[in-house]
Amino acid sequence: LCSTLGQPLYPACPVPAGFFLAVNITLIWVAAPVAAILSGRHQVVGLVFYGLLVTNGVTHVVPMLFGRGYNSGALSALILFLPLFFWVARNCFGQGRIPYKGLAVIVAAGIIVHIVLIASILSFLRGAIGSNVLIFVQILNAFLFLLIPRIGERVLGLTRTPLAREQLV
């Protein structure tokens, strides 16, 4: 992240280590399991993590495709993130499944979470916010990550659609 943002590598990088902990712990180790727990009643919430995967995957692969060279997330994106997203999109959304507008909601959630993350880090690097605010924004961002698909479910009327076990295999 530091080199992508034109900053020196650690330990000279000004991005606090707490930023990375706040992002990974709150999004990956708290929000994603909470989403999975809620999936029985709120399927779009339960699948929101895949919106994060596709957005993260695209942010790593697209620069590589446009000549910026290999980056540390490109291999994970190509082998794990993007294939998992497309598998979930194919098997969980569409006729007789969750409507495609639910897929749009989870992708939108992934995009919004990434925008908040990047905007806050750029604000920090420009001196507009301090490190404590930067870290606090990442914690709030994890709650936003869960709130977006829940609001999407209510606004778009995405009610629970039973997914047959064989649809997921």
Side-chain angles (χ1 to χ4, degrees):
L1 177 68
C2 292
S3 64
T4 300
L5 295 172
Q7 301 297 315
L9 299 178
Y10 275 107
C13 181
V15 178
F19 166 81
F20 299 101
L21 288 173
V23 169
N24 286 308
I25 289 173
T26 58
L27 271 175
I28 309 306
W29 294 105
V30 176
V34 167
I37 291 167
L38 295 173
S39 67
R41 297 196 62 185
H42 303 285
Q43 291 175 328
V44 175
V45 174
L47 295 170
V48 71
F49 187 71
Y50 296 97
L52 188 69
L53 287 183
V54 72
T55 306
N56 187 277
V58 167
T59 62
H60 285 288
V61 171
V62 169
M64 187 180 72
L65 294 176
F66 285 97
R68 292 198 52 202
Y70 175 78
N71 62 72
S72 61
L75 185 61
S76 296
L78 289 169
I79 292 175
L80 296 172
F81 298 170
L82 296 174
L84 276 171
F85 168 78
F86 289 113
W87 180 80
V88 165
R90 181 177 163 267
N91 288 291
C92 295
F93 295 91
Q95 189 173 354
R97 301 177 189 127
I98 303 168
Y100 282 118
K101 54 189 173 182
L103 183 62
V105 168
I106 69 167
V107 171
I111 291 169
I112 291 167
V113 164
H114 274 81
I115 288 171
V116 170
L117 186 144
I118 296 301
S120 64
I121 193 113
L122 292 176
S123 295
F124 170 78
L125 291 172
R126 292 182 181 131
I129 62 173
S131 60
N132 289 337
V133 172
L134 174 66
I135 291 167
F136 185 67
V137 167
Q138 306 322 307
I139 295 167
L140 291 178
N141 206 15
F143 289 104
L144 180 65
F145 179 63
L146 294 171
L147 189 61
I148 292 168
R150 182 63 189 113
I151 291 170
E153 285 178 339
R154 290 190 74 132
V155 169
L156 298 173
L158 299 171
T159 59
R160 190 179 186 307
T161 305
L163 293 175
R165 185 170 184 79
E166 55 274 0
Q167 287 177 303
L168 299 175
V169 179

